[in-house]
Amino acid sequence: QGSPSSVRLDLAWETDGAPYAWRASTRYEIPCRVWGTVEIDGEEITFSGPGQRDHSWGSRDWWAIDWMWSAFHLDDGTRTHAVTAPEIPGFAVGYEQRGGAVVELEGGTTTQEFGPGGLVTSAQLATEPRAAVLDVEPLAFGPLLLTAPDGRVTHFQRAMARVTTADGRRGLGWIEWNLVQPQG
């Protein structure tokens, strides 16, 4: 348990790729650039870097299944977005885009390693059709404990991360793991 902090955000987003509408859901994703300031307890931090806009409609059951969400900006201009679900082998939704060309994912998997405190220490994301493999190094976490009214619990781990592709490209972005906890 911590003490309250005063937080102020003054950020702007600029689209940095093609909007992507999910076919199976009322949701879209857009790679972007973000800049501005974040102020925490009077300390102002100037920020400029990669971002992602995500909008979805409808209800969401955070306690239904495990999943991974990611959005990365690579140094060669490639933008990636992927969602995988370990309970649905080979399932992935998302894109890889560069220079206006968008390739929709057809499948994928994510594996991850956990440290002693339960946070992910490294992960690997593999997607098709381009056989992309991304090694993920979480850098800074904002984990949340989500408890449903009926007592179900999920650990929601969101992290700023560094990514390296199998062919040596590098980038930054965000990755999330929704980890439903066993009941009992």
Side-chain angles (χ1 to χ4, degrees):
Q1 184 134 14
S3 56
S5 294
S6 169
V7 177
R8 186 182 63 80
L9 304 171
D10 184 9
L11 300 172
W13 281 260
E14 180 178 73
T15 297
D16 188 30
Y20 171 75
W22 286 33
R23 284 183 283 136
S25 177
T26 52
R27 175 188 188 113
Y28 68 85
E29 302 271 349
I30 305 172
C32 57
R33 301 287 305 166
V34 183
W35 67 92
T37 58
V38 176
E39 185 180 303
I40 302 170
D41 287 335
E43 179 184 349
E44 188 172 278
I45 303 162
T46 300
F47 175 82
S48 177
Q52 182 87 357
R53 288 191 310 243
D54 167 338
H55 190 88
S56 56
W57 295 263
S59 62
R60 192 175 281 184
D61 185 350
W62 296 92
W63 306 274
I65 65 169
D66 290 357
W67 48 262
M68 182 284 313
W69 174 100
S70 67
F72 292 109
H73 289 224
L74 304 181
D75 54 11
D76 71 345
T78 301
R79 305 298 182 245
T80 70
H81 161 61
V83 173
T84 63
E87 295 170 17
I88 309 170
F91 168 83
V93 64
Y95 61 77
E96 181 179 303
Q97 56 179 279
R98 184 171 177 220
V102 179
V103 175
E104 189 166 18
L105 299 184
E106 295 174 3
T109 58
T110 307
T111 57
Q112 56 273 327
E113 307 252 339
F114 294 92
L119 293 177
V120 175
T121 57
S122 66
Q124 189 171 77
L125 170 63
T127 61
E128 295 293 340
R130 293 191 176 174
V133 176
L134 295 91
D135 290 315
V136 180
E137 175 191 3
L139 301 172
F141 280 95
L144 296 173
L145 174 67
L146 302 176
T147 304
D150 64 7
R152 292 176 297 154
V153 173
T154 192
H155 292 172
F156 183 72
Q157 297 185 24
R158 180 164 215 198
M160 178 176 67
R162 181 178 299 123
V163 65
T164 305
T165 65
D167 61 9
R169 293 173 292 153
R170 299 177 60 84
L172 293 171
W174 296 97
I175 189 163
E176 301 171 346
W177 293 272
N178 189 63
L179 305 168
V180 178
Q181 301 303 294
Q183 292 187 16

